[in-house]
Amino acid sequence: MGNFISRVADRATLVAAPRLWIEGAAIQQLSKTLELPGMVRAVGMPDLHPGRGYPIGAAFFTAGRFYPALVGGDIGCGVSVWTTELPAAKVKLDKLDKLVGNLDGPLTGEERQHMAAAYPELDARVAQVEQALADAGLDPGWMRAAPSLGSGNHFLELQRLEDVLDPDAADDKVLNTKHLNLVVHTGSRGLGGAILREHVEQFGHGGLAEGTPEALDYVRRHQAAVAFAELNRWLVAVRVLVRLGVQGSQRLDVNHNTVTRERFDGADGWVHRKGATPMSGELVLIPGSRDHFSYLVRPIGEASESSLGSLAHGAGRKWMRADCKARLGRHIKGKDVSKGALGSRIICNDKDLVYEEAGAAYKPIDTVIDSLVGAGLVEAVASFRPVLTYKTRGECC
């Protein structure tokens, strides 16, 4: 591991290559969480950056109590990867753009019928999550928010295999040179935010003692929100596949905003992941920005203790959103913002997001991957090139 895992405070470590810049405010927020009662230790990932009170890109392990505020409002946010029948050669971006269309509006009855015809399990999946919401005391009406991506760093992307870095994985279904993959990054939309607001109004940021009625109630709602987020990603993907007129299969799906019961340091406790990908599963996709590659990695389970079983969830922000327009205004002005640095098509009609989600606003993804590899947490398997990235067509729901 060398110096890729460093101690930044008592009971707090940072996974980062020596050359990777991490904002001081993020490290301060990470260290501050150690003051929370029951906090055992915290681990910052290579994509660590400041959040609203708590850092993003980190994992926290507590004993005896847990903290919904450490999970944040987008409960169950994560990334899914689908293989598709879309040919990777001779991609016609204008045609793809037109077929994808506007994803920000609600489903029409006709569109839902087409989706259910192509994926007969749709109705059963929706009914199951509606029941989970009702059982958790949540309004099943939240289902009207799906499928939707939302704004911020959420996205949908068609990707082409760029390079296989591990020849032993060349036969994996996700690694197909002839067809494009579909990646969806989104979460529980307004539902997770409503759950967090209600919790903070009642309990502030003091957390919940495990086993209490209040804690059990939050866990039920948390699990329902996670189920909703997973279904939301599935529905977004199906909606796009049907519009494109092709079949697809979900290969990977992972949540990076959760709190779960796990065992570390020889004790049972709670792992909070705020923008941190769990190391479970044989393969994990770590997305780059819209101007950079994404990387498929293989977690090394034997090393999970050092990182609380967690990995980076992306490139990580380099600049605060409020600073991006001032920094990039003169560089972007006059440019065709629909063209990505790697030749991709970018769909983003939100003027603020054009600046906030620019590739320059994020850390280079290769330094994040180098950090994880250097720390002995993963093996790099393959890289993927963005072909079309959808952020938002306009006002987000």
Side-chain angles (χ1 to χ4, degrees), residues 334-354:
K335 289 186 177 181
D336 185 351
V337 296
S338 69
K339 294 182 178 180
L342 297 178
S344 65
R345 171 68 56 86
I346 298 171
I347 302 172
C348 183
N349 291 351
D350 185 310
K351 294 181 179 179
D352 290 331
L353 279 183
V354 167

Side-chain angles (χ1 to χ4, degrees), residues 40-60:
V40 178
R41 61 184 173 106
V43 181
M45 302 299 145
D47 57 337
L48 185 74
H49 57 283
R52 296 179 180 177
Y54 305 106
I56 301 167
F60 312 90

